[in-house]
Structures are given as structure tokens and as C-alpha cells.
Amino acid sequence: KDLVERVNRASGSSEPEYEVACAHEHSCCVLIASTRYKTDGKWQTFIDYDKFHEGFRKWQADGTPLDVFTYTAPTPAWAVY
């Protein structure tokens, strides 16, 4: 929690921009993520690789912008902090 508070202070914003999004119990690793990846109270921190590759192919073919929100997926319940 202290680290997240320091990250938010360093961002210079008056509103918290980062939170602990998920944790891996066995390795004790945590993901500190931008709150823009939290939709309706649910984290979207996983990648749907099929959607990513589809978007990447479209970008290569016709220049359609590849937006991160088109291929993010909900964080599984087992990973939510």
C-alpha cells in the first residue's frame, strides 16, 4: 500500500491514478495498474491475444489504430487483489 501511495504522489495528480490491480500469491508479485484499466469496478488487465492479433493485422492492412481497450480482458477472479 505504501508503494502505491508513493506512486500516486509522484504522479502529481490530486486523484489516485494507480492501484494494486492483482497479486500472484505464490511469487508475492503485484501489478500496480492505472485506474483507467478499471471499468465498473472491475480490472481489465489481461490480454485477449486473439483480439490483439486481429487488431494488429487490421493495423498492418489498413492503418486502423490499435487501441488497448479493444483487446483487454477482465482480470480473472483468482488474480484480483
Side-chain angles (χ1 to χ4, degrees), residues 5-79:
E5 289 172 0
R6 283 187 288 205
V7 168
N8 281 317
R9 276 196 306 272
S11 76
S13 175
S14 60
E15 293 293 318
E17 293 182 32
Y18 298 91
E19 294 178 12
V20 174
C22 60
H24 187 261
E25 182 178 353
H26 302 292
S27 66
C28 297
C29 291
V30 295
L31 172 65
I32 298 173
S34 169
T35 54
R36 69 186 184 132
Y37 294 103
K38 194 175 191 181
T39 308
D40 297 326
K42 296 185 181 194
W43 286 103
Q44 307 289 317
T45 62
F46 272 45
I47 297 170
D48 181 326
Y49 285 99
D50 291 335
K51 287 182 181 178
F52 172 80
H53 289 292
E54 178 184 328
F56 183 75
R57 284 190 293 275
K58 283 185 78 173
W59 172 77
Q60 284 182 312
D62 63 16
T64 300
L66 183 58
D67 182 273
V68 66
F69 293 102
T70 61
Y71 61 82
T72 55
T75 306
W78 59 262

